[in-house]
Amino acid sequence: MAYWLLKSEPESYSWDDLVREGQTEWTGVRNPAAALHLKAMAVGDRGFFYHSGKEKAAVGVLEITRTAQQDGDEPRWVSVAVKPVDALKKPVTLAAMKAEPKLAGMEMLRQSRLSVSPVRDAEWTVLMALASA
């Protein structure tokens, strides 16, 4: 299983929206690097749902339920299907991530503009610990 971090502006689509709907198509990713990450996802992979914008925090865990398919008219853009798994007991803020030395190499912190990025196994463990502290 691989781990990911998927960002969304909560004003556009929030964790609560995903929970209410039960599943969604993760569309609209128009960055080549982020699109490659979507293409690498497998059914059963897990990801953090991250509220960007004002909140700047991981707030829930989601699961990939369908691999990449074309999103729109151009084959290079893809979407995946996701469903909620569970809300984090405690949101993990961007400030908390930056303050944790074990997360210094995390892709989301190194390339903060990417809307989809991988999370290494050790980083996932640290983030889950921060969420339950």
Side-chain angles (χ1 to χ4, degrees):
M1 176 186 335
Y3 299 110
W4 307 94
L5 186 140
L6 292 84
K7 293 181 182 179
S8 182
E9 293 275 347
E11 297 80 23
S12 298
Y13 193 81
S14 71
W15 171 255
D16 290 340
D17 294 326
L18 179 59
V19 170
R20 184 177 59 255
E21 294 174 7
Q23 63 182 1
T24 196
E25 191 70 21
W26 203 270
T27 61
V29 174
R30 295 297 182 261
N31 174 286
L36 286 174
H37 295 316
L38 289 175
K39 290 176 183 177
M41 292 179 179
V43 172
D45 283 358
R46 296 281 171 106
F48 287 108
F49 191 112
Y50 182 91
H51 280 169
S52 56
K54 294 177 186 173
E55 193 171 337
K56 292 184 179 73
V59 296
V61 173
L62 54 77
E63 182 177 326
I64 308 306
T65 59
R66 197 208 65 256
T67 57
Q69 69 178 21
Q70 189 170 323
D71 179 19
D73 295 332
E74 278 195 56
R76 69 180 172 160
W77 305 133
V78 296
S79 64
V80 296
V82 302
K83 70 176 184 180
V85 173
D86 208 0
L88 296 178
K89 183 186 288 187
K90 174 183 161 192
V92 181
T93 65
L94 178 59
M97 291 178 196
K98 287 181 174 182
E100 174 52 64
K102 293 176 185 171
L103 299 177
M106 192 171 161
E107 291 300 316
M108 197 273 281
L109 299 178
R110 293 179 345 102
Q111 296 181 322
S112 62
R113 305 223 9 115
L114 280 183
S115 61
V116 179
S117 58
V119 175
R120 293 173 192 87
D121 292 354
E123 294 164 346
W124 181 270
T125 301
V126 170
L127 288 164
M128 291 300 286
L130 291 171
S132 62

